[in-house]
Amino acid sequence: MPYYQTWEEFARAAEKLYLTDPMKVRVVLKYRHCDGNICMKVTDDAVCLQYKTDQAQDVKKIEKLHGKLMRLMVSKESHSGAMETD
Amino acid sequence: MVLLENDAFLTELTRLFQKCRTIGSVVITLKKYDGRTKPVPRKGHPETYEPADNKCLVRASDGKTRISTVVSSKEVIKFQMAYSNLLRAHMDGLKKKDKKSKSKKTKAT
């Protein structure tokens, strides 16, 4: 269960994993205020991708990825590769 | 597991974050949901359920209290905006990057 070192790699791998099987993948976000860190995990119960951070600048990135995956989940059969233009 | 409406879920999530400021963690889970309310039938039994494609399940917990909500495509925009604001507002206990910033503002010591 590797912890990714860079956010870009984690985000790319997470989206790719989700698109291979949307119904199996779940996204878990654990926030500890007392320790001051966030851990994000994306898994389909076979592959597990994790990213841990204690940097405030990553909160925005995490929250954006969360939103993106949420929108993918509620969209009907939209194709991967459709990049956001706005 | 308490299933709430989107707004009630966001209110409870705020409360969870506030409760866990001194100790503990808040765990949020996000998963695609096809709307089924009955368990998956055994092999050989017909699947009588028509899966819906436009919903997702959001769960939150502080270890003791567990709450959840279902977001569908109609509500996702509103929910996602409120949800992002909530996350950004509460996940503020992290280290700020303190290297030489490019801005001309000087930090008051």
Side-chain angles (χ1 to χ4, degrees), chain A residues 34-84:
Chain A
C34 46
D35 294 338
N37 59 22
I38 301 179
C39 174
M40 183 158 174
K41 172 160 77 165
V42 181
T43 178
D44 67 349
D45 296 330
V47 175
C48 181
L49 315 165
Q50 286 176 294
Y51 185 79
K52 199 157 59 163
T53 184
D54 57 356
Q55 299 288 328
Q57 59 177 349
D58 286 333
V59 172
K60 195 167 172 194
K61 296 185 195 154
I62 286 177
E63 165 264 298
K64 266 174 127 176
L65 181 60
H66 239 243
K68 191 171 187 188
L69 290 169
M70 201 188 289
R71 261 174 293 143
L72 281 174
M73 288 175 185
V74 297
S75 67
K76 282 192 210 280
E77 304 275 30
S78 61
H79 264 299
S80 60
M83 294 291 282
E84 300 267 336

Side-chain angles (χ1 to χ4, degrees), chain B:
Chain B
M1 175 71 71
V2 183
L3 182 61
L4 303 164
E5 295 294 323
N6 292 352
D7 298 324
F9 175 81
L10 291 168
T11 315
E12 286 302 312
L13 184 56
T14 310
R15 213 173 293 174
L16 281 185
F17 271 112
Q18 285 164 348
K19 251 191 357 176
C20 292
R21 271 183 104 73
T22 41
I23 194 158
S25 42
V26 181
V27 181
I28 302 175
T29 308
L30 180 62
K31 192 177 169 147
K32 190 166 157 75
Y33 176 53
D34 63 358
R36 58 173 88 233
T37 49
K38 292 218 171 94
V40 179
R42 273 178 272 168
K43 279 204 202 119
H45 283 83
E47 174 84 41
T48 48
Y49 185 72
E50 190 63 42
D53 195 25
N54 59 341
K55 292 198 258 252
C56 75
L57 184 63
V58 188
R59 292 195 199 113
S61 164
D62 66 347
K64 304 248 171 69
T65 325
R66 290 151 81 186
I67 52 175
S68 63
T69 190
V70 177
V71 188
S72 67
S73 46
K74 295 196 200 97
E75 310 151 342
V76 71
I77 301 174
K78 211 176 77 161
F79 180 82
Q80 206 226 312
M81 255 182 13
Y83 176 71
S84 311
N85 288 337
L86 211 145
L87 286 190
R88 252 178 291 169
H90 284 96
M91 296 189 169
D92 58 350
L94 276 64
K95 297 199 200 120
K96 304 232 161 26
K97 206 156 189 171
D98 221 22
K99 289 212 281 201
K100 282 183 255 181
S101 55
K102 292 193 188 133
S103 69
K104 297 198 183 88
K105 278 193 232 164
T106 50
K107 263 214 170 137
T109 42

